[in-house]
Amino acid sequence: MSGNASSSLSGTRVAKFYEMLFSPLEGSTAWACMQCGLCSSSCPLGDAMEYPPRRIIAEAWNGSLERVIRSPSVWMCVGCYTCSYRCPRQLDLTDTVWPAVRDYALQEGIQPPAELRTAFQNLYLYGNVFGYSPRKRLEWTKNLEVAVRDLSKIPERVEVLWLVGCYPSYHPRNQVVARAMARILTALGVRWGILGKEERALGDCDRLFGEEGLFEMLVENNRRLFERFEFEKIVLLDPHAFRALEKFYPRFGAVLPAEHYTTFLASRLDQIRPWLKNPIQARVTYHDNCCVGRRCRCFEPPRQLLQAIPGIELVEMRRNREHALCCGGGGGGMWLDAFITEHGGRRLSDVRIQHALETGADILAVSCPFELSRFEDAAKVAGAEDRIKVRDILELLAESMGLGEGGG
Amino acid sequence: MMNIVAVVRLVPDLVEQLVVNPEEDNLDWDQTALTLNESDDHALEEALLVKEKHHGQLTVVAFDYGEIDQVLYMAAAKGADRIIKIAWPHPEPPNSLEMVGALGRLVPTLQADLVVMGCQSQTEFFGMAAAQLAARLGWPYVGVVRGVQNQAGGGWWKVFKEYPGAVLAEMEVQLPAVIGILTASQPPRYVPVSRIRAASQTARFETIDGMAKPEESAVNIRRVYLTPATSHAEMLKGTEEEVARRLVDLLVERGVLK
Amino acid sequence: MIRRILVPVEIYRNQVTDLTREVLAAARVVGGEQCEVVACVFGEPPPEAVARLQVADRILILRDGQVGQPVAIAQAAVLSRRLAQLGVDVVFVGSSSWGLDLAPLLASFVDAPLIANCQNLECTTEGLRATCRICAGKLLVDVEIGQRLAVVLLLSGSYARYEVPPGKGVIEKCEVAPEEWDARVTFLRWVEPAREDIDITQESTLVAVGRGIERQENLTLAEELAEALGGVVCGSRPVIDQGWLPPTRQVGKSGMTVKPKLYFALGISGAPEHVEGMKDAELIVAINRDERAPIFNVAHYGIAADLFDVVPAIKEALVARRQEV
């Protein structure tokens, strides 16, 4: 269904699409593709895609995008970076080709799946994917015993501007993790602040979904917002948001020092170690998130944190580090499980939980907000909630530091 | 060429808590976030579908109140050909009578064949703009409509009026007419933000002054207040397991378990 | 002082609607004993329908020809020409699909004020007072009008349980000339939904899902609970609009009205349009993260928690209970 009566490709939109593919800002030009198919065969959903990355590029060479953008496979990429990681010609597939195709589809009036539409609408209207009021962003701090510096109310110079993120702010399961982070930062004597009700999504999800215009809007608003505050660095819980700040915001003139919490805390391990008094006697396996892990080749800091906790026996899943299997939540995947399963794919978290169970681990440790609910669901579906618990690294640290919920 | 007019309105956004003013005779409009009236969103979609199918020209009309420009850029990005803002330089949004008055003066100047708007708006209590606009114009009206079609051609159009139980009344309407839409034939289309932003650069709005006049209703407002909870459920508290067990006990006690 | 209230009667599938009966009861309650309640029927009614109108003092039947067609604009015009000579003070209309067209058109035709979304009414010496419920049920407005002809659109619910004594029930017939009928709108036929699906109005246990279910795939949660309870899944309007459930599963004002023994409301806020369709369920259990959700005003038992945590726990508790038995 196209917004225009004629289905011919509009001149400027096509030109923009081709520029993104053949003169990309990062990675090789699509002309360099050698059609080896490594991307398609590596893609965890490749066999369900009518047009996996290789075919998209082939069609782009021929200028025959009509069918590609009308195919459901346009919405099936979950942003796991496996194809980008493996491409022998270094095409920036995940961050450039996929958003380009999706952006083009949207411009041509192709309607994204309904749940994605709602997520976009909510981001646009309320600055979070849930459609909750921005005024409710501080509800996670209710009854929190440590002081919260709300910079939007009282601007002051801080060391760390902590961008809490939408899931930790609003979602009950993730709010526990937010509180753990607050307590840990305070215990370490870090001078930290948050943006309170003025915080909005950074926009990475929609950027990957192809909603470039929405991303630009969010970047502009956020850039103006950050300019009002003084801080040394930004720390984030969400690897996707970290990626947006690190890789894409500079393209809009917003160059901000940013770290994911795992690297931030790992660099302070010497300060943290004395606090880790309570042992956690458990076998723990760690799931590498895609954005900080495979994309940034950053695998050790989360493991250092876990290994510092007394009592933890760290075991690895057979697919780990750069070979980790994505949970399926990125690139819009959080909203597209039904769509993906309807079109021949499967929920990747259901597959990944089996990898975790195979290790005999008691705890599956994660460091991305999506993963918490995805893996807990997967454990339930597998009937394994008694065998394996899912915990964010922050929850485990807090517990060992005596800073857990209810002071435990 | 067919001339379609769609009217869009802003209403309080219920995502936020509503705030009543200190005099308790209105909402505190300064503290009230506004959003597009849902059935107007559907009306716009239906108007776009009619325009596309019948090669018509679509004019979108709105009162110049609040952040209506964002809504109008969205309408332009979706395909509106002409956008008219009715000047409204007042602190409170126009009421139904004022809307009917202004639209009743404007529509005849537009040579419209079809006017679509949402059949209801959540702040209406002493007027219903869609139906009463039709009466003001002396035009036919059908409301609570899902879907407007003209397969046969000619001046008769089919509309499907929603009844309970997923039943529809298939009706025929002679144009020109006002149709009050509840839901469109398909969900309101998504338009990428980049198109809305592009529209904000290129779209031209026409503003018409003096069309709208303040009007008082014969209905006097004595008090406006948030709905108090009259009765309340017995809330079950505890861990999930505790709550679940208690609930199952209750269901057994009440004899509703098979 | 209201001397005469006129209630336009909605006949649907050869029956006087429940809402019309409620509005007639409301007219009797609000008008008081001194007030004359006139039920106005468009077209010759089926005999069983007349029996349901006995609350009225006068049953005015407008006939013949097309007057019985459910074309509100034409019926409003016909009625508008007779209100003055009938000496009507107020017209009470039920807030149905038909009423939502009829009432505002009628009000405009006779240049009378309209009070819409009205949940209760009171007759005073000066005129009429009403409370209107707007903004998805979150806001109330108390209004009043002086002594003059007015049209009121009454929401269902407030007067549903009143038992009122029969009125005089005098039948009058009045001819409507064919020229009076506005032929610019015609009714062709009823379009029934495809009936291969379950009839939720016949089910004794329903598990309803609302926006809080978040994604289509989470319906399995509701389906599992329904299965454990021996019931069926249904939904509020947003879920149907998304296409996650067929229209035959919609509960609410423009969907089905259900009266099951057990009604679970999962992730449903409790907007009036939905509540209207299920408020008479015998036992209502609501689960919603927001403890201030209006659904808790209608439910008998409530759980303010994440349904994704609670529903699986309930399912397990049910399974465990069955195993004990």
Side-chain angles (χ1 to χ4, degrees):
Chain A
M1 188 240 111
S2 171
N4 298 323
S6 86
S7 61
S8 61
L9 307 176
S10 149
T12 43
R13 287 183 211 146
V14 153
K16 180 185 172 206
F17 171 74
Y18 283 127
E19 198 189 306
M20 282 171 83
L21 244 60
F22 296 109
S23 313
L25 289 170
E26 190 167 327
S28 307
T29 170
W31 292 123
C33 169
M34 57 189 203
Q35 290 286 296
C36 66
L38 200 50
C39 51
S40 314
S41 53
S42 304
C43 173
L45 292 164
D47 49 5
M49 288 183 183
E50 194 186 346
Y51 290 97
R54 178 190 71 77
R55 280 199 69 193
I56 293 177
I57 293 176
E59 298 290 332
W61 286 350
N62 296 334
S64 55
L65 293 164
E66 289 281 349
R67 283 169 311 194
V68 175
I69 57 173
R70 277 165 184 78
S71 167
S73 68
V74 166
W75 310 106
M76 288 173 75
C77 168
V78 292
C80 77
Y81 290 95
T82 309
C83 55
S84 307
Y85 177 76
R86 299 222 178 136
C87 175
R89 288 299 175 91
Q90 285 99 48
L91 265 74
D92 190 28
L93 293 163
T94 319
D95 277 335
T96 299
V97 174
W98 277 103
V101 176
R102 286 168 162 184
D103 178 58
Y104 186 68
L106 288 176
Q107 297 291 340
E108 286 292 305
I110 305 296
Q111 294 291 295
E115 284 108 314
L116 258 187
R117 257 183 273 167
T118 313
F120 288 158
Q121 276 286 82
N122 290 337
L123 263 178
Y124 181 63
L125 291 173
Y126 305 109
N128 67 78
V129 287
F130 302 106
Y132 294 153
S133 164
R135 282 177 232 220
K136 297 207 175 124
R137 269 205 185 246
L138 285 176
E139 289 204 348
W140 66 273
T141 62
K142 233 190 276 190
N143 302 325
L144 185 62
E145 335 73 32
V146 298
V148 174
R149 269 182 210 89
D150 183 344
L151 302 178
S152 70
K153 293 225 175 94
I154 305 177
E156 36 176 319
R157 189 177 169 74
V158 289
E159 183 196 341
V160 164
L161 170 58
W162 170 29
L163 294 180
V164 183
C166 299
Y167 267 75
S169 298
Y170 291 113
H171 196 291
R173 179 63 185 93
N174 296 78
Q175 286 173 335
V176 173
V177 177
R179 287 192 284 269
M181 175 72 164
R183 293 187 195 107
I184 293 173
L185 286 176
T186 306
L188 297 179
V190 174
R191 194 175 172 77
W192 61 275
I194 60 173
L195 293 178
K197 294 175 184 170
E198 293 207 40
E199 187 181 321
R200 298 286 183 274
L202 285 177
D204 176 68
C205 287
D206 66 89
R207 206 227 157 236
L208 265 191
F209 300 175
E211 240 296 13
E212 175 100 20
L214 180 54
F215 182 67
E216 270 182 43
M217 188 190 93
L218 290 170
V219 172
E220 274 169 31
N221 293 340
N222 278 322
R223 197 184 48 175
R224 270 192 298 256
L225 182 60
F226 298 150
E227 269 165 17
R228 286 163 43 199
F229 304 104
E230 287 184 82
F231 49 88
E232 284 169 35
K233 65 163 50 128
I234 293 179
V235 173
L236 305 116
L237 300 185
D238 180 6
H240 302 265
F242 162 67
R243 176 168 57 97
L245 263 188
E246 196 221 16
K247 180 165 173 177
F248 298 106
Y249 271 62
R251 293 186 187 172
F252 296 88
V255 182
L256 299 150
E259 271 197 84
H260 186 250
Y261 85 80
T262 45
T263 42
F264 177 76
L265 290 180
S267 68
R268 283 158 202 248
L269 208 41
D270 290 333
Q271 268 181 276
I272 297 178
R273 245 185 265 272
W275 279 87
L276 297 170
K277 298 206 172 89
N278 303 334
I280 299 180
Q281 302 291 2
R283 198 165 227 222
V284 175
T285 188
Y286 173 68
H287 167 81
D288 291 279
N289 66 63
C290 302
C291 288
V292 175
R294 188 170 23 248
R295 191 191 73 85
C296 296
R297 316 288 197 272
C298 182
F299 309 111
E300 300 317 316
R303 289 174 168 81
Q304 288 162 0
L305 291 172
L306 288 168
Q307 277 163 331
I309 299 176
I312 281 188
E313 182 201 345
L314 191 61
V315 293
E316 297 288 350
M317 293 185 260
R318 52 183 165 88
R319 287 183 65 165
N320 61 71
R321 294 182 172 79
E322 59 266 42
H323 304 296
L325 176 67
C326 175
C327 73
M334 257 333 237
W335 290 270
L336 292 175
D337 284 317
F339 181 86
I340 287 175
T341 0
E342 252 174 75
H343 289 94
R346 61 211 189 291
R347 215 182 337 205
L348 296 178
S349 39
D350 287 344
V351 179
R352 188 57 167 162
I353 199 74
Q354 296 298 332
H355 299 176
L357 289 168
E358 275 165 26
T359 64
D362 310 295
I363 296 178
L364 170 58
V366 298
S367 58
C368 168
F370 291 162
E371 289 164 6
L372 216 43
S373 39
R374 290 187 76 76
F375 285 132
E376 283 187 342
D377 277 349
K380 284 183 190 157
V381 165
E385 321 138 70
D386 297 325
R387 282 151 57 197
I388 197 162
K389 301 272 175 264
V390 185
R391 295 280 181 271
D392 192 290
I393 293 180
L394 286 168
E395 291 179 279
L396 296 171
L397 285 172
E399 196 185 318
S400 182
M401 291 163 79
L403 301 172
E405 294 276 283
Chain B
M1 163 111 100
M2 187 174 178
N3 250 329
I4 308 150
V5 172
V7 180
V8 293
R9 292 164 287 184
L10 292 179
V11 292
D13 189 348
L14 299 178
V15 157
E16 307 281 359
Q17 184 80 346
L18 292 172
V19 179
V20 177
N21 68 9
E23 297 81 23
E24 285 198 319
D25 62 3
N26 213 326
L27 283 174
D28 185 339
W29 291 101
D30 284 336
Q31 292 207 55
T32 302
L34 299 172
T35 190
L36 175 59
N37 181 31
E38 195 175 341
S39 50
D40 290 344
D41 194 14
H42 284 263
L44 176 62
E45 178 63 28
E46 198 66 36
L48 287 161
L49 291 169
V50 170
K51 170 197 141 98
E52 284 158 8
K53 191 140 189 229
H54 299 275
H55 307 289
Q57 152 143 306
L58 174 59
T59 303
V60 172
V61 176
F63 286 80
D64 194 359
Y65 180 82
E67 287 172 33
I68 192 68
D69 283 3
Q70 282 308 309
V71 171
L72 296 175
Y73 291 135
M74 179 269 292
K78 287 187 177 183
D81 301 294
R82 190 179 168 199
I83 301 193
I84 298 178
K85 289 206 289 186
I86 299 176
W88 182 257
H90 303 285
E92 292 167 8
N95 64 44
S96 321
L97 294 183
E98 287 154 349
M99 289 192 195
V100 170
L103 293 168
R105 279 169 228 122
L106 175 63
V107 169
T109 70
L110 300 177
Q111 274 96 50
D113 301 294
L114 179 65
V115 173
V116 284
M117 57 195 289
C119 61
Q120 61 196 20
S121 131
Q122 63 200 22
T123 43
E124 286 182 318
F125 62 91
F126 60 79
M128 290 177 66
Q132 300 191 297
L133 173 61
R136 180 68 60 97
L137 294 170
W139 286 10
Y141 175 77
V142 183
V144 198
V145 164
R146 172 198 292 257
V148 177
Q149 294 174 12
N150 184 356
Q151 287 129 337
W156 285 87
W157 284 62
K158 271 206 212 320
V159 298
F160 294 88
K161 185 174 165 62
E162 289 198 30
Y163 273 79
V167 173
L168 298 171
E170 190 177 331
M171 313 195 46
E172 269 193 337
V173 184
Q174 201 172 67
L175 296 196
V178 177
I179 303 295
I181 298 282
L182 181 62
T183 354
S185 321
Q186 67 185 36
R189 66 194 63 185
Y190 184 78
V191 64
V193 170
S194 50
R195 294 262 287 268
I196 301 178
R197 279 149 71 90
S200 72
Q201 306 296 316
T202 56
R204 297 277 163 267
F205 301 160
E206 302 163 45
T207 304
I208 304 196
D209 292 308
M211 185 74 55
K213 302 177 175 97
E215 282 193 49
E216 294 247 333
S217 161
V219 178
N220 297 320
I221 297 176
R222 289 175 50 235
R223 189 180 162 221
V224 174
Y225 50 108
L226 296 177
T227 308
T230 43
S231 66
H232 204 270
E234 185 187 320
M235 302 303 286
L236 304 178
K237 300 203 171 98
T239 66
E240 288 128 35
E241 288 77 22
E242 287 164 3
V243 161
R245 255 180 281 126
R246 172 95 189 96
L247 181 62
V248 171
D249 288 341
L250 284 165
L251 296 180
V252 170
E253 275 168 42
R254 300 284 288 257
V256 287
L257 278 192
K258 290 197 185 132
Chain C
M1 250 302 287
I2 299 183
R3 296 156 305 151
R4 191 169 288 109
I5 298 178
L6 184 132
V7 177
V9 171
E10 181 171 11
I11 297 198
Y12 180 61
R13 296 194 197 285
N14 283 333
Q15 282 209 35
V16 172
T17 62
D18 285 347
L19 182 56
T20 300
R21 283 215 311 159
E22 185 183 337
V23 176
L24 283 166
R28 172 63 64 213
V29 169
V30 174
E33 283 173 10
Q34 266 71 296
C35 176
E36 187 184 55
V37 175
V38 180
C40 175
V41 188
F42 296 95
E44 196 72 59
E48 59 271 26
V50 176
R52 275 193 138 200
L53 299 173
Q54 292 307 315
V55 166
D57 298 310
R58 280 159 69 189
I59 300 170
L60 175 64
I61 299 175
L62 299 177
R63 50 177 211 172
D64 224 331
Q66 306 174 74
V67 180
Q69 296 286 297
V71 180
I73 188 170
Q75 291 162 325
V78 163
L79 185 53
S80 69
R81 288 181 210 107
R82 288 162 172 79
L83 282 183
Q85 84 204 50
L86 285 169
V88 171
D89 287 319
V90 194
V91 180
F92 280 19
V93 184
S95 215
S96 67
S97 177
W98 176 75
L100 284 171
D101 285 2
L102 185 82
L105 289 170
L106 180 64
S108 285
F109 291 161
V110 298
D111 199 22
L114 171 74
I115 305 180
N117 287 308
C118 179
Q119 73 175 16
N120 50 47
L121 290 152
E122 199 194 317
C123 177
T124 65
T125 44
E126 288 88 38
L128 194 62
R129 279 191 183 172
T131 300
C132 303
R133 199 169 70 216
I134 57 172
C135 289
K138 297 191 175 183
L139 204 63
L140 293 176
V141 187
D142 288 345
V143 300
E144 72 184 340
I145 46 170
Q147 191 77 26
R148 59 173 298 171
L149 177 59
V151 178
V152 173
L153 253 178
L154 199 58
L155 295 169
S156 85
S158 310
Y159 294 92
R161 297 200 198 286
Y162 279 89
E163 293 292 334
V164 292
K168 303 185 192 79
V170 173
I171 298 181
E172 293 167 27
K173 305 203 181 188
C174 178
E175 302 299 322
V176 174
E179 310 80 76
E180 277 196 69
W181 187 252
D182 185 346
R184 293 175 302 170
V185 179
T186 54
F187 168 80
L188 293 181
R189 61 197 158 95
W190 298 108
V191 179
E192 303 279 338
R195 282 265 173 219
E196 336 107 350
D197 197 24
I198 290 168
D199 185 353
I200 54 172
T201 61
Q202 302 301 316
E203 295 286 329
S204 62
T205 299
L206 290 173
V207 175
V209 293
R211 271 190 239 258
I213 203 79
E214 281 174 20
R215 300 194 245 300
Q216 179 172 15
E217 44 161 13
N218 295 333
L219 275 178
T220 44
L221 204 59
E223 278 158 17
E224 284 166 11
L225 179 62
E227 199 179 349
L229 291 165
V232 156
V233 171
C234 59
S236 61
R237 194 190 184 92
V239 166
I240 275 72
D241 277 351
Q242 299 264 49
W244 299 347
L245 285 173
T248 42
R249 301 282 184 121
Q250 183 176 336
V251 172
K253 187 193 181 98
S254 48
M256 312 279 182
T257 299
V258 295
K259 295 181 194 190
K261 287 201 155 33
L262 175 59
Y263 189 90
F264 259 92
L266 307 181
I268 290 179
S269 64
E273 292 73 29
H274 180 74
V275 167
E276 212 179 294
M278 45 65 72
K279 60 182 169 26
D280 292 329
E282 283 179 37
L283 182 58
I284 302 170
V285 179
I287 305 178
N288 193 303
R289 282 179 48 187
D290 182 3
E291 58 202 354
R292 287 170 309 193
I295 191 73
F296 292 126
N297 298 333
V298 148
H300 299 99
Y301 293 102
I303 304 172
D306 194 330
L307 68 97
F308 298 111
D309 292 328
V310 174
V311 172
I314 296 174
K315 196 191 78 167
E316 288 200 17
L318 283 167
V319 167
R321 191 56 181 248
R322 284 196 206 290
Q323 284 170 351
E324 284 168 32
V325 168

